[in-house]
Amino acid sequence: MNRYFKLFLALLTLYLPLLQLIQAQSNGLQTSLGGSLQETIRQIEGVAAVSELESSVFDHKLEVMYLQPLDHENPGAGHFQQRFYVLHRGYDRPVIFVTEGYRGSYAARAAFTNELAERYNANIIVAEHRFFEKSTPEPRDWDYLTVANSMGDLHRINRAMKSLYPGKWIAIGISKGGQTTIMYAAYYPEEVDIYVPYVAPVCFGVEDGRHEPFLENCGTAEDRAAILAFQRDLLERREEIQPLFEKYCSEEKLTFRMPIHELYDMCILEYPFVFWQWGAPVEEIPAPGSDARKMADQLLAIAGPEYFSIVSEPSFFVQAARELGYYGYDTKPFKGLLTIPNAKGYLHKYMLPEEARHYKFSHRVHKDIYRYLKKNDPKMIAVNGEFDPWNAVSVDKKLFRNKENMTLMVQQGGSHRARIATLSEEQQARVWELIDRWLEQ
């Protein structure tokens, strides 16, 4: 036997196990860490628990509890467990990284998926936001609920899971989750490949000031007149309709940080915002003088008091007051009809727990976002609804001009339900063309 051939056999014998291991890992078997996805993830540093869930869409679905620092700048402050979900189709598939702004328990539903995952036969990772549902530290110290810390959470999850999923990553989020997607781009640029924020706000203050004039231009003049007439009729007939409203609150055992007459006022002020946010039918608004029960039912259906109730997870309102901002109300059209002089400062007064009312708003986050987007051109497609009040405070349309990548898609007549699938056929084709190209790069 030729000595060179003997040498080749010896080298093949030496390196074949290594080649087999590399091949196994590339095929998603992860031989070095164990056979199953559950066992593989359990061995990742920081993973505290893993459980398999049912899925009618994906090959595997796992709920993962992951140890995160309370303060990423000060690991000595302690830790908490953050929940994220892994919906698995293949290690060689793209990942749709859902940067949730709230709770993530919806991902546990057996049929859960999303439009991007189905389009690209992709995996999904849903990261529940810190201080929501299972991802809430005990005790709950609001000082650690910051944008910087929540971005650090996403960074660590990305770093932990990218060893399993080395392909393309698309970060997406809806509403506050979409805002989280944009912040993730600004705070950890180029950590993922593509960003798709849906109906995402970027507010400039606790009561931003841009929502109120926006609502004065939604729909047609007739639509807006019908809404205003309904609101005024509710207030003018307070003695007749408020008792029905109060009875509902009592039956539902709701509690509030305000007396019932102020709650009634606030729900009426909230009505147009929610009406346009979710695209309610104008034809269902009762005309002035309609039956009191019908009037009350419409108010309860669109702007019910649950929103103002004392909730177990006030985390969003704390974030709004500190860094994310929110919206105000125009009380001028109701002069002499409200029991409150105005709605200024309502977020701190009605929505925040006592221990969080001392926080003052910081402008750092929205300035960081705008500074990043002005100077950079991430592969980002923002999807907004034309009449969604959050469109009033979406990323400034000027920032999308003269950019090769950054793209804005607005659904004509759309609401907070705007998605890629609700866009026009021409818009959808453009979105998929861009993402297809970016995934191939």
Side-chain angles (χ1 to χ4, degrees):
M1 184 181 291
N2 185 291
R3 63 176 179 173
Y4 294 108
F5 184 66
K6 288 182 179 179
L7 178 61
F8 168 75
L9 288 179
L11 291 172
L12 184 63
T13 302
L14 177 64
Y15 287 106
L16 185 58
L18 178 60
L19 291 171
Q20 289 173 332
L21 176 58
I22 294 171
Q23 181 63 38
Q25 290 179 328
S26 68
N27 289 335
L29 299 179
Q30 301 294 319
T31 305
S32 65
L33 294 178
S36 73
L37 175 64
Q38 186 170 353
E39 292 168 352
T40 298
I41 292 178
R42 183 175 284 114
Q43 293 183 51
I44 293 175
E45 184 178 358
V47 170
V50 184
S51 55
E52 183 96 24
L53 303 177
E54 178 186 354
S55 176
S56 58
V57 182
F58 293 82
D59 296 336
H60 298 283
K61 178 187 291 188
L62 301 177
E63 180 188 80
V64 182
M65 299 305 297
Y66 186 63
L67 206 62
Q68 293 278 23
L70 281 170
D71 185 349
H72 288 276
E73 295 297 318
N74 178 23
H79 295 79
F80 74 103
Q81 291 187 15
Q82 181 179 17
R83 174 169 64 180
F84 67 88
Y85 293 89
V86 179
L87 290 75
H88 176 87
R89 281 182 167 139
Y91 293 102
D92 61 339
R93 305 307 307 147
V95 170
I96 310 303
F97 189 26
V98 181
T99 61
E100 185 53 63
Y102 302 95
R103 61 186 63 186
S105 53
Y106 60 86
R109 298 197 307 266
F112 168 73
T113 186
N114 61 47
E115 59 183 355
L116 282 158
E118 293 314 292
R119 170 82 179 191
Y120 295 108
N121 191 32
N123 308 297
I124 299 177
I125 295 176
V126 178
E128 183 167 79
H129 200 287
R130 65 164 51 202
F131 282 67
F132 287 87
E133 217 165 55
K134 275 193 175 182
S135 301
T136 303
E138 186 60 47
R140 186 173 58 185
D141 186 336
W142 298 118
D143 285 348
Y144 298 119
L145 180 55
T146 66
V147 166
N149 279 328
S150 62
M151 295 304 102
D153 296 341
L154 296 177
H155 169 68
R156 292 190 72 246
I157 292 173
N158 175 276
R159 294 297 90 189
M161 299 305 295
K162 218 156 195 179
S163 61
L164 300 184
Y165 301 109
K168 298 286 188 179
W169 281 52
I170 304 176
I172 75 168
I174 298 171
S175 191
K176 179 171 174 281
Q179 183 178 19
T180 305
T181 300
I182 296 171
M183 294 187 298
Y184 185 38
Y187 281 67
Y188 289 92
E190 301 180 6
E191 190 156 285
V192 302
D193 303 281
I194 301 167
Y195 304 88
V196 183
Y198 297 92
V199 294
V202 181
C203 294
F204 296 162
V206 178
E207 295 177 23
D208 182 282
R210 290 175 287 171
H211 299 88
E212 297 90 324
F214 179 89
L215 290 170
E216 293 174 3
N217 292 284
C218 284
T220 66
E222 291 76 15
D223 295 340
R224 297 190 296 273
I227 292 171
L228 181 58
F230 174 71
Q231 291 176 280
R232 289 185 61 88
D233 200 42
L234 286 169
L235 291 168
E236 289 168 354
R237 298 166 61 192
R238 180 189 297 271
E239 291 185 6
E240 183 184 1
I241 301 173
Q242 184 177 305
L244 301 175
F245 177 87
E246 185 172 359
K247 181 181 179 184
Y248 173 85
C249 295
S250 177
E251 290 174 346
E252 295 298 315
K253 297 180 171 56
L254 301 174
T255 57
F256 309 93
R257 296 186 178 93
M258 66 188 97
I260 195 69
H261 59 88
E262 293 186 15
L263 174 66
Y264 187 69
D265 287 349
M266 293 302 297
C267 288
I268 293 169
L269 292 173
E270 174 75 1
Y271 181 87
F273 190 102
V274 183
F275 183 93
W276 291 113
Q277 180 177 5
W278 299 113
V282 176
E283 59 272 17
E284 292 184 4
I285 302 175
S290 295
D291 176 74
R293 179 75 269 170
K294 187 175 182 181
M295 296 285 290
D297 286 346
Q298 172 70 1
L299 177 62
L300 293 169
I302 301 298
E306 290 85 356
Y307 169 69
F308 291 101
S309 65
I310 297 175
V311 294
S312 59
E313 286 184 350
S315 305
F316 165 70
F317 298 114
V318 175
Q319 289 186 283
R322 294 186 69 187
E323 295 180 300
L324 301 186
Y326 213 40
Y327 57 89
Y329 300 105
D330 182 9
T331 59
K332 293 189 296 293
F334 313 107
K335 187 175 181 180
L337 296 175
L338 297 168
T339 63
I340 55 175
N342 56 62
K344 299 287 186 186
Y346 77 94
L347 190 71
H348 281 76
K349 182 179 179 181
Y350 296 142
M351 315 300 276
L352 296 187
E354 185 68 37
E355 70 274 12
R357 293 183 186 178
H358 66 282
Y359 289 117
K360 298 185 183 303
F361 184 76
S362 167
H363 293 273
R364 179 182 56 85
V365 171
H366 70 78
K367 288 182 178 179
D368 285 347
I369 290 171
Y370 270 71
R371 187 181 303 112
Y372 170 75
L373 294 179
K374 284 177 180 177
K375 294 181 179 180
N376 296 277
D377 184 20
K379 294 179 174 68
M380 178 181 291
I381 300 173
V383 178
N384 294 333
E386 181 185 10
F387 294 152
D388 178 9
W390 293 113
N391 191 26
V393 293
S394 61
V395 172
D396 192 333
K397 295 172 178 58
K398 295 177 184 177
L399 294 184
F400 292 88
R401 295 175 187 169
N402 304 316
K403 295 287 183 74
E404 181 181 349
N405 296 318
M406 283 179 61
T407 303
L408 175 63
M409 290 293 177
V410 180
Q411 180 194 347
Q412 186 175 2
S415 68
H416 210 54
R417 305 180 197 274
R419 304 292 183 267
I420 297 172
T422 68
L423 298 171
S424 69
E425 290 185 6
E426 182 180 353
Q427 288 174 312
Q428 289 186 53
R430 176 59 177 157
V431 169
W432 296 130
E433 175 194 357
L434 284 171
I435 298 177
D436 288 349
R437 173 155 48 89
W438 291 339
L439 287 173
E440 290 173 0
Q441 290 177 352

